[in-house]
Amino acid sequence: MTGKTAPAAKKPAPAAAKKKAAPAPKEGAAPKEGAAPKEGAPPKEEAAPKQEAPAAAAAEPPAPEQPPEQPPAPTDESAPVPTEAGAEAAPAPAEGSPAPPAEPPAPEPKVEKPKEEPPSCPLSLAVEEVSENSFTLTWKAPEQTGRAGLDGYVVEICKDGSSDWKAVNQEPFLSTRCTVPELSSGDKIHVRVVAVSASGSSAPATLEQPVLIREILQLPKIRMPRHLRETYIRRVGDAVNIMIPFQGKPQPEVSWSKGGQPLDSSRINIRTTARDTIFYIRQAQRADSGKYELTVRINGAEDKATLDIQVVEPPGPPQNLKLVDVWGFNVALEWTPPADNGNAEIKGYRVQKSDKKSGKWFTVLERCTRTSCTISDLIIGNTYSFRVFSENICGLSDSAAVASGVAHIEKTKTTYQPEKIPQRDMMEPPKFTQPLTDRTTTRGYSTHLFCSVRGFPQPKIIWLKNQMEIREDPKYIALIDQGVCSLEIRKPGPFDGGVYTCKAVNPLGEASVDCRLDVKGES
């Protein structure tokens, strides 16, 4: 500001006059203090305020007086920078001429972002309710939604026989439930749902059948019996006769399938009434095993249930039964599982022995879960044969595997060895011929651990529990007889469980085997 504006402070002009008088100095670009004004500039600046002030005062009523503005100090540099810069950088434009347009800023280069894949298809689209003029849909969110997440879903409908799809909602919404209103009773409506995100739209989820718009008095519901919710097991040749009740009004449509295919009517008979459906097979075969799907549908609303049937038969005999070793009063046997398990899990094996004198078979082990065993307490002088049956939920196999060889239990004889025979030829480091086996016992019931070892000189047997040697403890009774080592654990408790090790040591070396013992509480 300059000293010429001081008189205006004594007689305040109206507000409108101030607003109009303010732009006047910008036209003349008043110079700073100490700068020489351009020729002809002062007369124009003086004339403009003197002419505009009276006109503005006559047009509007006077505004309330305000304290005069203090002129800036001579050394003040707060004058408008754009005015000074414009005056110095370029010549002032002529009065009334438009200002030159500013140059637009240069556009920033766009960085191409990698394209994101659109979301996957919504899941489990189903009809929840149908009325006279509307129906309600439900679905689940897609498996893949992308980094940006979902913007929502768009539901589209189309009348049966038409290809004109119309969106129910104009803007996507995040709810997985939607009611489509204002429909006519008797219409058949096709429906599809699309997931929408910033990267695009998913493939549509559609209903297999159109929705018939009519009132459903009772939604379809399958009342699966409790015993059919688990695997239903029958033997080969048995009849399968199953009745499954359901509900729904009006009369629901009932269908059966297996693996997505219709049932073989030559083997399976289906009879359906208004309240239940009957599944019947006269003579079940192993090929009838599988999962059968029952669907009860009313228009677009449906309910599904799965019936799992397993048809079993006795397993085949074990394979490759052989006599591994005979020592003292003991025999070791090994075999492999049967080639045919009878369409059921093998529960165990039954081992039997027969002596040559009587010719009768006696059971030695039942439900042996391993494919090897050791038979002890055989009688000296007898010759034994052995056979093994396999067992599943149906029972024992029809035939048994018989060992090709026989075991002759001879009396141990003491033979004098001449001194010329080196003693080292007779010596043998310890070797376990039958390892320990993991066991599970019940608290308070004594249990035994068995293993077999051979070696010469006779090895010293050391029992360890969790790598700690078991010394003179009345709870444990350790015995060795003809190479058979046994450890009796009397009335075990929870703290007696762990890893037990049998260690055999003689001058030529040592060997060890271990097993785990689990102690469970009484049920």
Side-chain angles (χ1 to χ4, degrees), residues 20-21 23-25 27-28 42-54 95:
K20 294 181 180 179
E27 295 180 2
K44 291 180 182 179
E45 291 179 358
E46 292 176 2
K50 290 178 181 179
Q51 292 175 0
E52 289 177 1
E95 186 176 357

Side-chain angles (χ1 to χ4, degrees), residues 479-498:
L479 299 174
I480 179 169
D481 183 17
Q482 297 293 328
V484 178
C485 307
S486 66
L487 178 67
E488 179 182 0
I489 306 170
R490 304 175 64 186
K491 297 183 179 180
F495 295 101
D496 292 321

Side-chain angles (χ1 to χ4, degrees), residues 231-235 310-315 341-348 367 390-397:
T231 303
Y232 184 70
I233 300 175
R234 304 296 292 172
R235 295 182 61 138
Q310 182 179 2
V311 182
V312 300
E313 61 183 346
N341 63 357
N343 199 29
E345 180 185 1
I346 297 296
K347 299 293 185 181
R367 290 286 182 96
S390 53
E391 185 178 3
N392 67 2
I393 193 172
C394 241
L396 295 177
S397 56

Side-chain angles (χ1 to χ4, degrees), residues 134-148:
S134 68
F135 65 91
T136 301
L137 297 171
T138 60
W139 62 89
K140 294 182 180 179
E143 293 181 354
Q144 299 178 359
T145 59
R147 295 181 180 177

Side-chain angles (χ1 to χ4, degrees), residues 97-376:
S97 63
E103 295 183 0
E108 296 182 359
K110 296 183 178 179
V111 180
E112 294 185 359
K113 297 183 179 179
K115 295 183 178 180
E116 296 184 2
E117 295 184 359
S120 59
C121 176
L123 305 175
S124 305
L125 178 62
V127 177
E128 183 182 71
E129 185 180 358
V130 179
S131 65
E132 293 179 346
N133 54 8
S134 68
F135 65 91
T136 301
L137 297 171
T138 60
W139 62 89
K140 294 182 180 179
E143 293 181 354
Q144 299 178 359
T145 59
R147 295 181 180 177
L150 288 180
D151 292 341
Y153 304 93
V154 175
V155 180
E156 297 178 339
I157 60 174
C158 174
K159 289 188 177 181
D160 191 23
S162 172
S163 60
D164 184 16
W165 288 91
K166 295 181 180 180
V168 176
N169 54 312
Q170 300 300 327
E171 296 293 334
F173 58 85
L174 291 173
S175 175
T176 57
R177 187 175 184 271
C178 177
T179 299
V180 181
E182 299 178 1
L183 300 174
S184 300
S185 180
D187 287 348
K188 292 185 177 180
I189 305 297
H190 294 272
V191 186
R192 65 185 182 187
V193 179
V194 179
V196 180
S197 70
S199 56
S201 301
S202 70
T206 60
L207 290 174
E208 296 180 359
Q209 300 293 333
V211 181
L212 177 61
I213 306 303
R214 65 172 180 174
E215 185 178 5
I216 298 179
L217 302 179
Q218 188 179 36
L219 290 174
K221 181 67 176 179
I222 299 174
R223 300 294 184 185
M224 181 67 78
R226 186 180 299 275
H227 71 281
L228 297 179
R229 297 175 188 174
E230 301 177 353
T231 303
Y232 184 70
I233 300 175
R234 304 296 292 172
R235 295 182 61 138
V236 171
D238 289 352
V240 178
N241 191 5
I242 298 172
M243 183 183 70
I244 301 176
F246 58 84
Q247 66 184 25
K249 291 182 181 180
Q251 175 68 39
E253 176 187 351
V254 179
S255 62
W256 285 86
S257 63
K258 180 183 180 183
Q261 300 297 325
L263 303 185
D264 183 4
S265 58
S266 63
R267 288 202 46 79
I268 304 173
N269 297 322
I270 302 295
R271 184 179 67 84
T272 302
T273 66
R275 295 183 178 180
D276 55 48
T277 179
I278 296 176
F279 180 97
Y280 179 73
I281 302 176
R282 184 177 297 276
Q283 290 184 340
Q285 301 296 328
R286 287 175 61 171
D288 296 325
S289 301
K291 294 185 177 181
Y292 296 82
E293 189 174 75
L294 170 63
T295 303
V296 178
R297 181 184 295 109
I298 301 177
N299 300 337
E302 64 180 23
D303 190 21
K304 294 183 178 182
T306 301
L307 175 63
D308 189 3
I309 297 178
Q310 182 179 2
V311 182
V312 300
E313 61 183 346
Q319 296 180 317
N320 305 322
L321 176 61
K322 57 185 177 180
L323 197 63
V324 178
D325 197 6
V326 179
W327 74 102
F329 308 104
N330 312 289
V331 172
L333 300 174
E334 285 185 357
W335 62 89
T336 56
D340 181 14
N341 63 357
N343 199 29
E345 180 185 1
I346 297 296
K347 299 293 185 181
Y349 302 91
R350 180 174 295 184
V351 183
Q352 294 183 343
K353 68 178 180 180
S354 173
D355 62 273
K356 188 175 181 180
K357 293 180 180 179
S358 66
K360 295 182 179 180
W361 291 97
F362 299 93
T363 300
V364 180
L365 294 174
E366 290 186 351
R367 290 286 182 96
C368 176
T369 57
R370 298 169 60 90
T371 55
S372 62
C373 70
T374 300
I375 301 175
S376 305

